[in-house]
Amino acid sequence: MQYGGCLRLGVMIVGLSPVAALAEMSLALLPPWDGQTVPVDQVCALHGGNGMTPPMALSGLPEGTVSLAVEFNDISFASLAFNGGHGAIGFAVTGPEAELPPVPALTADLPEGSWVISAARTSGQYASPGYIPPCSGGNGHTYQAVVRALDAEGNELDMARVVLGRY
């Protein structure tokens, strides 16, 4: 029940004050990625591709954001479904908007302004010192990216997810 601008919760009364709406970070894939189907040339080399990380555009980055951590996951394969199962890449950013370029797969040697945060948790012929592109062999796996906006101390300021597509 509300009583004159206060909300009564059991015996505790909590004052309600107006709070400015915070801008939310938004994320969009850039061509050739469409979020539906993984582009045929963006799969792993074992399946005939020469994949790179998907290019992305972000807006609404929180004030204080200095880098973005992008975790790539195969949400259809339990051991690679979280925390960058396909690798995690960092990108230096400034300002409220950023466009993340594609960076090479299967290497830790990345262009300036990007770096490997963690290597893919793959092994054997699928091993990679960085990002590994979708590599399910066309078995209908769903791939996802989780993007975290970080401040200079590495604290998470915001987070967004995007489905990369199925392969």
Side-chain angles (χ1 to χ4, degrees):
M1 299 179 119
Q2 280 201 332
Y3 295 101
C6 292
L7 180 64
R8 182 180 168 108
L9 301 171
V11 295
M12 181 170 62
I13 296 182
V14 178
L16 298 177
S17 61
V19 177
L22 298 175
E24 290 187 18
M25 186 169 77
S26 64
L27 166 60
L29 294 172
L30 298 174
W33 294 80
D34 65 9
Q36 300 296 313
T37 303
V38 173
V40 67
D41 63 335
Q42 294 302 305
V43 300
C44 69
L46 291 170
H47 297 288
N50 188 24
M52 299 178 78
T53 61
M56 300 178 203
L58 293 100
S59 61
L61 297 178
E63 187 174 330
T65 300
V66 299
S67 67
L68 298 171
V70 184
E71 301 169 356
F72 297 96
N73 301 301
D74 175 349
I75 62 174
S76 300
F77 191 71
S79 65
L80 302 177
F82 57 92
N83 296 335
H86 271 245
I89 305 296
F91 293 89
V93 296
T94 58
E97 297 180 353
E99 191 167 302
L100 305 183
V103 299
L106 307 172
T107 182
D109 185 22
L110 301 182
E112 186 175 334
S114 58
W115 60 92
V116 173
I117 295 172
S118 62
R121 292 191 308 273
T122 51
S123 60
Q125 64 182 348
Y126 298 97
S128 173
Y131 166 74
I132 185 170
C135 210
S136 68
N139 289 321
H141 289 209
T142 299
Y143 294 86
Q144 176 188 72
V146 177
V147 180
R148 300 177 193 283
L150 306 174
D151 68 13
E153 288 76 42
N155 299 309
E156 184 176 311
L157 302 173
D158 203 351
M159 185 267 296
R161 297 176 198 271
V162 65
V163 172
L164 303 175
R166 292 176 60 92
Y167 171 63

